[in-house]
Amino acid sequence: MESTIAGLPAHILLVHAVVVLVPLTALGLVLVAVWPAARVRLVWPTVVLAAVTLALVPVTTEAGEWLEHRLPRTPLIRAHTELGDGLLPWVAGLAVVAVVVAVRHVVAVRAGRRVPAAVGGGGPEVPSAPAPGGTVATVVVAVLAVMVALGAVVTTVRIGDSGARAAWTGQVAEQPLGGSQGETDGG
């Protein structure tokens, strides 16, 4: 299967979506896990974002494997591909915890009346009934959300750094090259 978009390797383009979506999903998950007012507004967008991100990671990895077979095998590329294989479990964790938060939210909403999240009314309403498992389960889910979010973001940064090193190490001159492109006269 060819893995190009407009003549460019698809991995190069897809990776930008992953680099944006993983931290955005992680942030959304932490917000909905720890902040009831955010949960009311963002729980479903976070679940959808987690599902999209989960679907995109293997597509990006597969496109990366296609590209890997068309490049010289170097230690930097090998390191990048090994790190890249570690992102899917973290993103799966984001999706699982997002679904857990959503299910607990739905159960809490169905079990109790709703009260305004903001003092003095206005704004979204939050469930007044406790979520399944009570406060202990809520804290455990929040801690899991933070841990999975941090793991996903740190892994994404490490993969991105290794990919940038694989692509650019030895490609950029220390000093500007002569010629008319990029040359300035200081003013």
Side-chain angles (χ1 to χ4, degrees):
M1 175 170 93
E2 185 170 331
S3 191
T4 63
I5 300 172
L8 293 173
H11 180 73
I12 295 169
L13 301 172
L14 292 170
V15 74
H16 290 87
V18 171
V19 166
V20 170
L21 293 179
V22 170
L24 191 59
T25 303
L27 175 62
L29 178 60
V30 169
L31 286 175
V32 300
V34 303
W35 188 13
R39 186 177 314 123
V40 170
R41 292 180 187 237
L42 299 176
V43 71
W44 297 114
T46 300
V47 169
V48 169
L49 192 59
V52 168
T53 305
L54 181 59
L56 189 59
V57 167
V59 171
T60 304
T61 303
E62 184 178 310
E65 290 171 1
W66 179 91
L67 179 59
E68 176 187 15
H69 296 299
R70 284 151 181 83
L71 294 172
R73 190 86 169 135
T74 68
L76 292 173
I77 290 174
R78 191 170 23 259
H80 176 63
T81 57
E82 288 173 8
L83 285 171
D85 290 337
L87 184 58
L88 187 58
W90 288 108
V91 174
L94 289 174
V96 167
V97 177
V99 168
V100 168
V101 170
V103 167
R104 293 182 82 241
H105 174 70
V106 167
V107 170
V109 166
R110 288 183 179 168
R113 61 184 177 79
R114 296 160 61 95
V115 296
V119 176
E125 293 182 342
V126 297
S128 62
T135 304
V136 172
T138 300
V139 170
V140 168
V141 170
V143 168
L144 280 173
V146 170
M147 289 173 47
V148 171
L150 283 173
V153 170
V154 167
T155 301
T156 301
V157 169
R158 291 182 64 218
I159 295 166
D161 177 66
S162 71
R165 289 180 190 281
W168 292 102
T169 296
Q171 301 297 315
V172 179
E174 290 290 323
Q175 298 295 321
L177 300 176
S180 61
Q181 285 187 339
E183 192 172 52
T184 62
D185 59 9

